Amino acid sequence: MKKLFALLLAFCMLLTLAACGAGDTAPDSAGGQEGGTSSGEVSLLTAEERAKEFITVATGPTSGVYYPIGGAFATALGAWGYKTSAEATNATGANIQLILDGDAEIAIAMQDAVMQAYTATGAYEGSAAADSLRALMRLWPNYVQLVTTSNTGIHSVEDLRGKRVGVGAANSGVEINARMILAAYGMSYDDIQPDYLAYGEAIDNMKNGQCDAVFVTSGLPNSSVMELSVSYDMVVVPIDGEGRDKLVEEYPYYAKATIPANTYNNKEDVESVFVYNIMLVRKELSDDMVYDMLTGIFENIETIQASHNAANKNIYLEVGVGDLQLPLHPGAEAFWREQGYLN
């Protein structure tokens, strides 16, 4: 009897230890927890966990490329089981702030403005460094398109002197591009008459003779520029020469590019530059949730690719995360390492 009792006691102790061990190694619930997982390992959320999370995707103006592509991200994540909403915004500058304020979970933004915010330089000099920004993935290249009409006599960046120029909404990604490009050519807003309007509104002003040239930074083709090229004798002004060389040398997130012939009414290729768009996330999102979102995005990537030509050509898994300068969120880092794009 004593022997039987001892065996039973030992068996019970083994069960107790096993139960305790299971409790110690069980993964934390991922949804909405600050700081992510503590073990460095990530896992997918359950359907029930996804259904409890609301993801706001910050996009851009309805006239631009950000809006349809951002809306498609919301649709793809909705198909994965999240509650989602796509918010129309003034694009990059507004989207950075929405992420910092915790009013959006993911947002599209141009990498040049993001890096200025992250390092408190350029347009963000004097502000606190936005060190809570993290990258989810690389998106598509935004081409800087300086457009005018033939009657203005503008054929180069230098010809903008004394002209009324649409530079984008104040502190927007387009406006940051305009400042940096002018500076690369030895110019500033003192040399032009800046018009702080989103490019869609600025192009409308140009049609009415109230603006001479407009900076547009977007994927190709841009619908507002396309409409202008159909109805007016539009000119795409090259961004080339020593000014472009200086810009690319000083700011590595810019790259030399060509706007191909017949993108609009241009019969020949036009020299320019591009800067990548990236998808931002909040540092506070859990590692598991970010890993899960990326998985859901690529499970439904056809939805995103169908939203715009720029997405169809540039957003797919094999692109990887090259040219990203903003640190990846740990959950995104785990995803991309698993896919073989990080060491």
Side-chain angles (χ1 to χ4, degrees):
M1 179 66 71
K2 288 182 179 181
K3 186 175 182 180
L4 179 59
F5 178 80
L7 288 171
L8 287 171
L9 182 60
F11 182 69
C12 290
M13 289 178 67
L14 284 172
L15 288 176
T16 301
L17 287 170
C20 291
D24 290 342
T25 58
D28 293 334
S29 173
Q33 289 187 0
E34 183 172 340
T37 56
S38 59
S39 65
E41 297 181 357
V42 292
S43 59
L44 296 175
L45 302 190
T46 65
E48 291 76 17
E49 287 171 329
R50 287 184 200 119
K52 294 176 182 178
E53 299 292 344
F54 194 96
I55 297 173
T56 297
V57 183
T59 65
T62 56
S63 61
V65 180
Y66 280 20
Y67 186 74
I69 296 180
F73 269 88
T75 300
L77 287 167
W80 191 238
Y82 288 99
K83 297 174 183 175
T84 64
S85 173
E87 181 176 341
T89 72
N90 285 330
T92 293
N95 291 356
I96 289 171
Q97 196 60 50
L98 285 167
I99 291 289
L100 294 176
D101 292 343
D103 293 327
E105 282 62 51
I106 64 175
I108 304 172
M110 283 191 283
Q111 184 162 232
D112 56 342
V114 170
M115 291 309 298
Q116 288 188 10
Y118 184 72
T119 57
T121 57
Y124 290 86
E125 187 173 356
S127 303
D131 55 8
S132 63
L133 298 177
R134 293 293 182 272
L136 182 72
M137 59 188 292
R138 196 184 87 185
L139 298 174
W140 70 95
N142 257 4
Y143 290 77
V144 180
Q145 302 156 72
L146 178 56
V147 297
T148 186
T149 51
S150 60
N151 63 322
T152 65
I154 297 172
H155 300 286
S156 68
V157 175
E158 289 92 341
D159 289 340
L160 295 176
R161 294 181 187 276
K163 302 293 187 179
R164 297 165 298 179
V165 182
V167 295
N171 297 319
S172 67
V174 176
E175 201 251 323
I176 289 173
N177 292 156
R179 284 182 185 273
M180 297 169 79
I181 288 167
L182 289 172
Y185 287 86
M187 298 167 62
S188 72
Y189 284 178
D190 292 336
D191 298 298
I192 66 171
Q193 300 175 45
D195 191 355
Y196 296 94
L197 290 174
Y199 58 69
E201 297 173 81
I203 285 176
D204 286 340
N205 278 359
M206 188 159 60
K207 294 175 183 177
N208 298 325
Q210 298 174 329
C211 188
D212 298 309
V214 179
F215 279 96
V216 177
T217 307
S218 80
L220 297 176
N222 176 277
S223 59
S224 296
V225 176
M226 180 69 77
E227 181 185 348
L228 180 69
S229 71
V230 170
S231 305
Y232 294 79
D233 188 10
M234 186 188 80
V235 175
V236 183
V237 179
I239 298 171
D240 57 5
E242 292 181 6
R244 182 172 73 164
D245 292 342
K246 180 180 178 181
L247 180 75
V248 173
E249 181 179 354
E250 188 170 356
Y251 303 107
Y253 33 74
Y254 282 100
K256 295 181 180 181
T258 299
I259 299 173
N262 301 313
T263 298
Y264 301 112
N265 62 342
N266 55 308
K267 303 302 181 185
E268 298 179 350
D269 293 348
V270 180
E271 296 301 307
S272 187
V273 293
F274 75 71
V275 58
Y276 275 110
N277 294 296
I278 65 175
M279 187 65 85
L280 296 177
V281 293
R282 291 190 283 116
K283 178 180 71 174
E284 292 77 14
L285 292 182
S286 77
D287 298 359
D288 284 357
M289 183 172 174
V290 171
Y291 175 84
D292 187 78
M293 284 195 297
L294 270 170
T295 304
I297 286 167
F298 285 103
E299 284 290 326
N300 295 281
I301 194 63
E302 295 85 359
T303 297
I304 295 167
Q305 291 169 338
S307 65
H308 192 276
N309 183 57
N312 186 47
K313 288 186 174 181
N314 296 284
I315 303 179
Y316 48 92
L317 185 67
E318 291 75 16
V319 165
V321 286
D323 299 310
L324 275 179
Q325 297 189 30
L326 185 70
L328 285 164
H329 188 287
E333 188 176 346
F335 176 87
W336 289 109
R337 179 173 290 109
E338 186 177 280
Q339 300 302 319
Y341 294 101
L342 295 174
N343 295 328

